[in-house]
Amino acid sequence: MREILGRRRRLLSKRSDGRPELIGAALTYATEWQWPVLPGVAADPEGRNRCGCPDPECTVPGAHPFDPGLLAATTDGRMVRWWWGNRPTAPIVLATGGKAPCAVSLPALPAARALGALDSMGMRLGPVVASPARWAILVKPYSMEQLGELLYAKDFVPGSLRFHGEGGYLALPPSETGQGEIRWERAPLPGSASPWVPDVEAVVDAVVEALTRTGVSAPEL
């Protein structure tokens, strides 16, 4: 029990200004759950809805890697401490795929309705990451071939669904980005191993069915 409580304290520890300690969460992801992470580019301090990267039209401000690049993602605690020791407010970015979770994301309002429908269907879900604009359901790693076969077999897939697979990334809580706060809509249960996540097939099947059943036409975002 001490180990579990210690892990909860790390995830929920606060800075002196009351905001969560990013370094504690990053260490939990990297060293305990073996999720490769790296610091994201910060939002532009002169305009929180803009990105600190050179792209003036960046569509995910503050929520993507830049320097270092995505290939630098690691589970090495020493590297994580060095990164966030030097950049304590940097968003935490997960490199999806490989041995790390992937994700299926959709706009926030349809996602909230879909999760309610999935609960009523008895669908078991793992962690769900939420930003003000989109929610992402974490799933087991999948290949592009597996995803292609899954989508090809469907008559209809909402165009607003996005897939964060091998070579992709996702900002993790408790990051602050240009899009707002990244939080857990469904938080991982504390434990000694990486949180359980469902197969991508089950999630896509259930989400498409839930959106159809609830009459939600997810917008193209």
Side-chain angles (χ1 to χ4, degrees):
M1 178 61 73
R2 266 196 303 271
E3 182 182 15
I4 292 176
L5 291 177
R7 189 168 287 107
R8 286 180 64 85
R9 281 196 294 270
R10 174 178 288 180
L11 277 169
L12 300 176
S13 59
K14 303 287 185 178
R15 304 187 324 204
S16 58
D17 62 4
R19 295 177 64 186
E21 283 278 9
L22 288 160
I23 189 171
L27 283 168
T28 294
Y29 301 141
T31 64
E32 297 181 16
W33 297 353
Q34 293 297 293
W35 292 2
V37 298
L38 75 163
V41 61
D44 188 334
E46 296 183 2
R48 291 294 300 174
N49 62 340
R50 299 199 305 268
C51 192
C53 75
D55 182 3
E57 305 298 326
C58 181
T59 57
V60 283
H64 66 90
F66 176 64
D67 183 17
L70 186 63
L71 292 179
T74 185
T75 58
D76 186 339
R78 293 170 299 178
M79 196 72 238
V80 169
R81 289 186 182 91
W82 188 85
W83 275 334
W84 273 274
N86 287 280
R87 298 166 59 183
T89 62
I92 304 169
V93 174
L94 168 70
T96 55
K99 295 183 178 179
C102 294
V104 177
S105 72
L106 64 163
L109 181 57
R113 293 175 178 171
L115 258 61
L118 297 185
D119 288 340
S120 67
M121 295 162 54
M123 172 75 184
R124 182 187 178 191
L125 292 176
V128 178
V129 176
S131 74
R134 297 184 70 86
W135 292 8
I137 303 171
L138 299 189
V139 298
K140 291 179 182 177
Y142 57 79
S143 67
M144 293 305 295
E145 292 78 11
Q146 180 184 4
L147 179 63
E149 290 177 2
L150 171 64
L151 299 182
Y152 181 77
K154 294 210 161 295
D155 294 329
F156 166 74
V157 177
S160 59
L161 284 183
R162 293 179 186 166
F163 300 91
H164 308 257
E166 184 75 33
Y169 57 86
L170 184 71
L172 293 176
S175 302
E176 285 282 344
T177 73
Q179 297 174 318
E181 177 189 5
I182 307 298
R183 60 179 179 82
W184 293 114
E185 174 62 27
R186 301 282 176 90
L189 296 176
S192 59
S194 180
W196 177 88
V197 293
D199 291 325
V200 66
E201 293 94 338
V203 167
V204 172
D205 288 346
V207 165
V208 171
E209 181 180 346
L211 292 176
T212 303
R213 178 184 294 186
T214 56
V216 173
S217 178
E220 300 277 348
L221 292 178

